[in-house]
């Protein structure tokens, strides 16, 4: 079968590799679509970062590996002991390997496992025609949810988990910094929680136009003094939560100024390098910065429920490319800003 195999920094090739077979407790999936994540871009251009050069303690695998952790597909075969899914089921994958014994796992926070692993980084992933996963990573898709949309459950679950960490409700006000895929997912997640007062802060005219077409309200930080505008709009109270999906210093500085007292800035971006943080903005108003990583089973189920209700719209921000063009039309296009979110079709 064909697969995108990662051999290290700027070394990704389409190769013919053996088709996997499921062992006990495993599920073989015929992949429909696999999304390219920002993590994949970092691995290709700057890595290896997460892909291990020595065997991972949970998977036993090391580089080279087949990339891909955001994917949907159809169950092709099940191993001994698998009971929750059967051949032909449409599924999405929650790609976390967890030890089950560390303190975080025992508390139910397996997304914080001390030796966490990811399908498609610490073992062969979904940027291939077939892949094999543990049964506990599989979520069934209800009838009516297209597999193309299902491939977005993973990144949308990242956004949903971040929204939950913001401790908001239908009466809350919020700011989302960054209108890339995670920023768009945050806007959808907050809307799904009942929020109507949401501003998306984005300097790119193209990205503002994309999320405005979905119904979002945006602000251009290059043309407006966002903290002053929020202070005027809220009579100096500030917003109930801010979410940083931009990962740049101006976003963090602006967000901290816009928050109300004892309210969180949820950091969902991946920070490539240290950024200056005006901690006095935390001290004077007892604001806080809240980290967030990955998702849980509950986030996956929440996103799937919202999908079943028709909540998500991919118009204008999601493209599909063939596996054979994954570098030029996927990785390079994303890096150059020519596309926002790319799904890879491994059958082409």
């Amino acid at each position: 079968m064909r697969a995108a195999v990662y051999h290290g920094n700027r070394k990704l090739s389409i190769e013919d590799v053996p088709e996997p077979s499921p062992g006990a407790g495993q599920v073989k999936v015929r992949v429909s679509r696999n999304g390219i994540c920002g993590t994949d871009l970092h691995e290709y251009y700057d890595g290896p970062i997460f892909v291990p050069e020595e065997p991972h303690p949970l998977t036993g695998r090391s580089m080279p590996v087949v990339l891909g952790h955001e994917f949907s597909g159809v169950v092709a075969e099940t191993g001994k002991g698998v009971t929750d899914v059967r051949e032909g089921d449409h599924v999405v994958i929650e790609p976390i390997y967890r030890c089950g014994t560390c303190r975080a796992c025992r508390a139910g926070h397996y997304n914080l496992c001390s030796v966490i692993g990811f399908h498609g980084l610490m073992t062969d992933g979904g940027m291939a025609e077939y892949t094999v996963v543990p049964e506990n990573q599989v979520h069934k898709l209800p009838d009516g949810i297209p597999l193309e949309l299902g491939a977005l459950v993973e990144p949308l679950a990242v956004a949903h988990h971040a929204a939950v960490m913001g401790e908001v409700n239908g009466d809350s006000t919020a700011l989302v910094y960054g209108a890339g895929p995670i920023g768009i997912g945050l806007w959808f997640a907050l809307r799904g929680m009942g929020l109507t007062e949401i501003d998306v802060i984005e300097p790119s005219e193209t990205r503002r136009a994309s999320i405005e077409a979905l119904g979002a309200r945006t602000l251009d930080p290059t043309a407006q003094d966002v903290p002053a505008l929020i202070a005027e709009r809220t009579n100096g109270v500030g917003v109930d939560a801010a979410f940083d999906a931009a990962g740049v210093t101006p976003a963090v500085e602006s967000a901290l100024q816009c928050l109300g007292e004892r309210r969180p800035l949820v950091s969902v971006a991946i920070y490539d390098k240290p950024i200056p943080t005006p901690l006095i903005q935390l001290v004077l108003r007892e604001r806080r910065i809240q980290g967030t990583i990955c998702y849980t089973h509950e986030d996956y189920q929440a996103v799937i429920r919202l999908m079943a209700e028709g909540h998500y719209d991919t118009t204008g921000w999601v493209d599909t490319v063939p596996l054979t063009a994954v570098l030029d039309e996927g990785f390079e296009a994303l890096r150059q800003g020519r596309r926002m979110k790319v799904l890879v079709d491994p059958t082409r």
Side-chain angles (χ1 to χ4, degrees), residues 155-156 159-160 163 180-190 211 312 317:
L156 292 173
H160 186 275
I182 297 300
I184 291 173
L186 274 162
W187 181 77
F188 274 120
L190 293 168
I211 198 167
Y312 293 101
W317 63 281

Side-chain angles (χ1 to χ4, degrees), residues 176-201:
V176 175
Y177 285 79
I182 297 300
I184 291 173
L186 274 162
W187 181 77
F188 274 120
L190 293 168
R191 295 271 295 179
M193 294 174 179
L195 278 74
T196 57
E197 292 299 312
I198 310 164
D199 287 285
V200 180
I201 321 301

Side-chain angles (χ1 to χ4, degrees), residues 88-163:
D89 283 345
H90 287 199
V91 296
V92 295
I93 306 306
E94 182 187 343
I96 295 178
Y97 291 84
R98 74 298 299 259
C99 71
T101 58
C102 70
R103 185 172 73 172
C105 283
R106 294 198 310 272
H109 307 304
Y110 61 83
N111 59 311
L112 304 177
C113 175
S114 61
V115 289
I116 194 168
F118 291 91
H119 200 75
L121 290 169
M122 287 77 172
T123 190
D124 289 336
M127 216 171 284
E129 295 180 74
Y130 292 92
T131 191
V132 167
V133 299
E135 185 181 15
N136 67 1
Q137 293 185 359
V138 178
H139 292 254
K140 287 194 286 189
L141 280 178
D143 294 340
I145 298 180
L147 285 168
E148 294 85 353
L149 182 60
L152 295 170
V153 170
E154 197 272 356
L156 292 173
V158 169
H160 186 275
H161 189 71

Side-chain angles (χ1 to χ4, degrees), residues 225-237:
D225 184 336
V226 174
L229 177 63
I230 296 302
E232 178 182 0
R233 185 185 292 172
T234 64
N235 294 318
V237 171

Side-chain angles (χ1 to χ4, degrees), residues 211-224:
I211 198 167
E212 285 170 1
L214 300 173
R217 188 172 69 193
T218 69
L219 296 172
D220 178 1
T222 67
Q224 296 166 291

Side-chain angles (χ1 to χ4, degrees), residues 257-278:
Q257 291 180 63
C258 292
L259 283 171
E261 73 281 357
R262 312 197 87 182
R263 297 303 197 270
L265 165 61
V266 180
S267 293
V268 65
I270 298 297
Y271 301 89
D272 292 337
K273 54 189 175 182
I275 62 174
T277 306

